Structures are given as structure tokens and as C-alpha cells.
Amino acid sequence: MLAATIATQSIEFYDFMIYGMAASLVFNKQFFPAINPVAGVLASFATFAVGFAARPLGAVVFGHIGDKYGRKPALLGSAVAMAVSTTLIGLLPTYSMIGAAAALLLVIFRIGQGIAVGGVWGGATLLAIEYAPAKRRGLFAAIPQIGTFAGLIAGIGVFMVITKVVSPEQFLGWAWRLPFLLTVVMFPVIFYVHRYIEDSPEFHEVEKTMAARSEERARDSSVIQVLRRPKYMLTVAFIFIPATVVFYMSSTGMIDYGVRDLGIAKPTMLAAVMLSVVGAAVSTLASGWLSDIVGRRPVYMGGVILAGIWSFAMFPLMDTKDFGLIVLALGVAQVALGAMFGPGITLFAEMFPPKIRYSGASMGYQLANILGGGLAPFIMVLLLESTHTTASASAYVAAVCAISLIPLSLAGRLQAQSREQEPVEQTG
């Protein structure tokens, strides 16, 4: 079951993240060539952010499908929606072919990606938590997140290979489409993975539980119940914002900064990001394991504090243009991210009673991605261009980290309230 959730996350986030790579490297030229380069980058990152705006809709739509019809159709539907949207982006005519309609279609397909990824996260992650031993939930919840980093590494690797074997002109002209079109070969993998999940005894047990509670959900859906207690969802969102900001600034925004502002070669920046993501994967597993021993909040708080402080060292190290120091700059940021990713998923799940956990954790998580991750590269470029100093971007990261410490301090109280509403063994 864990292998299946990792594979599902990998496929979904490969598709979602290659858009970020293309937004950093090519979309400003192919879809927004009529405006100046900086405005083109901002417009490109704006379309990147649109996908995040659609993610809560995916959490609601596929969460409802998963509650009413079972998890297999919800997970399968979200995976197919992602594969179709991504493939269509690879086939999309550019501005030079159909004018402004190209940008409009790009936004539509990006929305499709956002809806899809908003649906898969809750099912894959919470399935792992639900069947984990009570004292190992942190580790079991961290394991599926490896799929997120595996998808990112795979996406970067594909772009690295392409930029190595084709000329810059060929990459800009047609080769950028290849990572998107490779999604076609993933359709058989998608169906295999979801067939495996269907055959899992644990999955069938969940289906039986959902069927037994269908009458209750018909009277009052889990989405409505979550919206009636917004403080839970908002607490999750504001706790998780720093993780989303760090993730997308260090994996997407920094590619643009290194290539466009510092003149670093595309393959070099892609290699640096890929190496740094390995640090995030290791940190996520280690932090999830540690949270089972010392608690979720202390580990998460350590990641937040490290991210806020390190943001002021990251840009100066990048500015040296030394490959080793660039990897160090991004790697420590990714380690801080892992310290939030590892315990965070279980922390959020434990803030909701089981009957609304799927919708509540998913909606809070996706709201954080709107407010943080989706806007992070856009805000980073805007700050750098308007202030002409990297300190402004560092201050932005430090500010969101500091703000998140307030709701993090309230998480324990909400966990206690959740236990009172529906007792379940948890770790604070």
C-alpha cells in the first residue's frame, strides 16, 4: 500500500512540477512574448499560481467522490485528469501560432492540473496514516511524501537531459514539450497503480466503512462540517504556508533567479535543485520518525525557525555562482522544508475528527498552497525587481515563518478538542 501511494504521488507531482520548470525557463517567451522580459516572467509565474488556486476545488470535488463512491474512483479520476491536462499543455499552440488564445488555453489546462493534484493528496496520504501503527503515524505519513520529491527529481532530470542534448533554440522551439508529452506513457502506470490499491484489503475495509456511514454523510457532508469550523482549516493553512513558500521558491523561483539574473547555465541550476531535493526527502523521513518520539510540533517548529533564519544566507550563497555553495544554499532550505513536511501531515490529520479528516486536512493543506506556494515565485520576482535587493525576498520568507508560529502554538488545543469530539489515539 505504501509503495502504491508513493507511485501515485510521484506521477501527480511530476506532472504538476514540470509546469513550474517550464514557467521558469520557457513560458514567458512562448506565451507572453509581447511584453518585456520581467513582465513576461511575472505573467508566466501567475499562470503557475493559477494551478494552486484550483487545488481546493479538487480537494472538495474528489473528496466528495471518495466519500460517496469510494477512494478508487476518486484517486483514478484525479490521476487521469492530471495526465490529460499535462498532455494537452505539451500539444498547446504558442502565442506565435494563435495569439492571446494560447495563454488562455494554458491557464485552462493549468487549472485542470490544479484540480487533479488537489484530489490525490488527501487520499494517498491519509490512507497511509489511517493504517499506520498508533506510535508510527509520523513515519508512515512521511513515506508517501517521498513521491512528491521523486516526482520533482524526475521532472528536473528530464529537463536536464533535454537541455543537454538539444540547442537552446531547439529547446525553446519544440523540445520543452517533451516532458509534458512523456505523460502519455504514464497512463498504463496510473491504471496499474490504482488497480493495486483496489486489490488492497485495507482499501476494501475503508470502502465498507464509508458505505456504512453513507446515510450520515448524505445528511451532512464532511465539507460542510469543515466549513462550519473554519478555525481548524485556517490553522492548518497558516501553519503550512512556510513549507509551501520554501518549497516553491527553492525549486522554481531560484531556477529563474539563477538563470535570468545570475546567468548560470540551465543544466547547472537544474542539477543543483535536484541534488538539494534529495536533502528534503531524507529530512522528511527523519523528521517524521523523530516526531513519533518527541512530538509533531517541536520538530515542525525547528524546521520553521531554520527556514526563516537560513533565508538570509540563501541568496548571498547563490550570488557566488559557485556550484557547491548553490547546492548548500538550496540544500539547507530543503532540509528545513523536510522538517516541516515530515511531521506536518500527521499534525494536520490529528487536528480533525476521523469523520471529517479527509476533507479538513486536504482543504487546509491546499489553502496553504494558494496563499504560500502558488504565489511564492511571483512575489519573489516582484520583490527582487521592485527593491533591487535580495534582502526583501529573504524578509518575505522570514515573515511567513514568524507568522506561522502563532497558529502552531494553537495546534495542541485543537488536537485536544478533536479528541473530545471523537476519541482517537494521537501524538501531539
Side-chain angles (χ1 to χ4, degrees):
M1 187 265 291
L2 287 176
T5 59
I6 293 173
T8 302
Q9 292 274 72
S10 299
I11 293 170
E12 292 284 304
F13 279 91
Y14 166 84
D15 289 352
F16 196 74
M17 287 305 303
I18 58 174
Y19 189 101
M21 304 292 108
S24 300
L25 300 173
V26 70
F27 282 171
N28 60 317
K29 298 181 179 69
Q30 287 289 18
F31 294 95
F32 306 99
I35 54 182
N36 69 67
V38 173
V41 171
L42 289 172
S44 182
F45 280 145
T47 67
F48 178 69
V50 165
F52 290 84
R55 286 169 70 159
L57 177 59
V60 171
V61 170
F62 288 106
H64 172 74
I65 293 173
D67 283 341
K68 189 170 184 179
Y69 301 106
R71 295 191 180 184
K72 177 194 169 184
L75 291 174
L76 182 59
S78 63
V80 171
M82 175 63 82
V84 170
S85 299
T86 304
T87 301
L88 290 174
I89 291 173
L91 298 172
L92 187 61
T94 61
Y95 182 90
S96 63
M97 300 175 184
I98 60 173
L104 176 61
L105 291 172
L106 182 67
V107 170
I108 291 173
F109 298 149
R110 178 60 175 172
I111 290 173
Q113 282 192 320
I115 292 173
V117 81
V120 75
W121 176 84
T125 300
L126 297 182
L127 187 65
I129 294 174
E130 186 173 0
Y131 292 106
K135 295 183 178 181
R136 299 182 65 190
R137 285 181 180 155
L139 176 61
F140 272 61
I143 290 174
Q145 309 315 311
I146 299 303
T148 301
F149 303 118
L152 176 58
I153 290 172
I156 294 173
V158 170
F159 270 99
M160 283 182 60
V161 171
I162 292 173
T163 55
K164 283 281 190 180
V165 300
V166 304
S167 68
E169 293 76 18
Q170 291 173 322
F171 176 76
L172 189 62
W174 58 268
W176 65 268
R177 300 178 182 274
L178 296 179
F180 295 90
L181 296 178
L182 283 175
T183 300
V184 172
V185 304
M186 293 184 180
F187 277 103
V189 178
I190 291 171
F191 283 102
Y192 174 81
V193 167
H194 290 283
R195 182 172 182 178
Y196 175 82
I197 293 176
E198 181 187 21
D199 291 339
S200 167
E202 294 89 348
F203 182 81
H204 288 302
E205 186 62 32
V206 172
E207 285 186 311
K208 293 177 183 177
T209 302
M210 291 190 296
R213 295 181 178 180
S214 60
E215 186 176 331
E216 175 187 343
R217 283 195 309 278
R219 292 195 302 267
D220 195 1
S221 75
S222 58
V223 173
I224 297 300
Q225 292 183 58
V226 170
L227 293 177
R228 285 176 179 169
R229 54 182 86 184
K231 65 179 180 180
Y232 287 80
M233 181 177 65
L234 292 175
T235 299
V236 169
F238 280 95
I239 289 175
F240 199 60
I241 283 177
T244 66
V245 169
V246 171
F247 182 64
Y248 288 103
M249 274 187 61
S250 59
S251 63
T252 301
M254 281 300 187
I255 293 177
D256 171 70
Y257 179 69
V259 172
R260 185 171 57 86
D261 291 349
L262 301 180
I264 300 171
K266 292 184 182 72
T268 300
M269 277 306 305
L270 290 170
V273 172
M274 185 166 65
L275 288 173
S276 72
V277 170
V278 175
V282 173
S283 176
T284 296
L285 288 177
S287 299
W289 168 79
L290 184 61
S291 75
D292 287 328
I293 300 173
V294 303
R296 321 291 180 213
R297 286 182 293 156
V299 179
Y300 195 100
M301 187 175 295
V304 171
I305 294 172
L306 175 59
I309 294 174
W310 187 253
S311 64
F312 291 96
M314 186 164 55
F315 282 97
L317 289 171
M318 286 283 299
D319 291 343
T320 65
K321 303 182 185 181
D322 179 84
F323 181 75
L325 294 179
I326 291 173
V327 173
L328 176 64
L330 300 179
V332 174
Q334 294 281 3
V335 168
L337 166 70
M340 293 181 272
F341 246 55
I345 308 306
T346 311
L347 174 66
F348 304 150
E350 291 174 345
M351 288 170 58
F352 294 92
K355 64 181 180 180
I356 62 170
R357 182 171 292 160
Y358 189 110
S359 297
S362 295
M363 291 166 66
Y365 177 91
Q366 302 304 348
L367 180 59
N369 277 283
I370 292 178
L371 300 175
L375 293 174
F378 180 91
I379 292 174
M380 172 183 156
V381 173
L382 191 62
L383 287 172
L384 293 177
E385 293 298 327
S386 60
T387 65
H388 304 290
T389 173
T390 59
S392 60
S394 299
Y396 162 60
V397 177
V400 297
C401 288
I403 292 172
S404 76
L405 294 177
I406 299 173
L408 185 60
S409 67
L410 303 175
R413 185 184 308 169
L414 297 182
Q415 283 180 308
Q417 293 175 2
S418 177
R419 294 188 188 100
E420 292 172 2
Q421 294 170 40
E422 190 159 353
V424 57
E425 185 178 358
Q426 298 170 352
T427 301

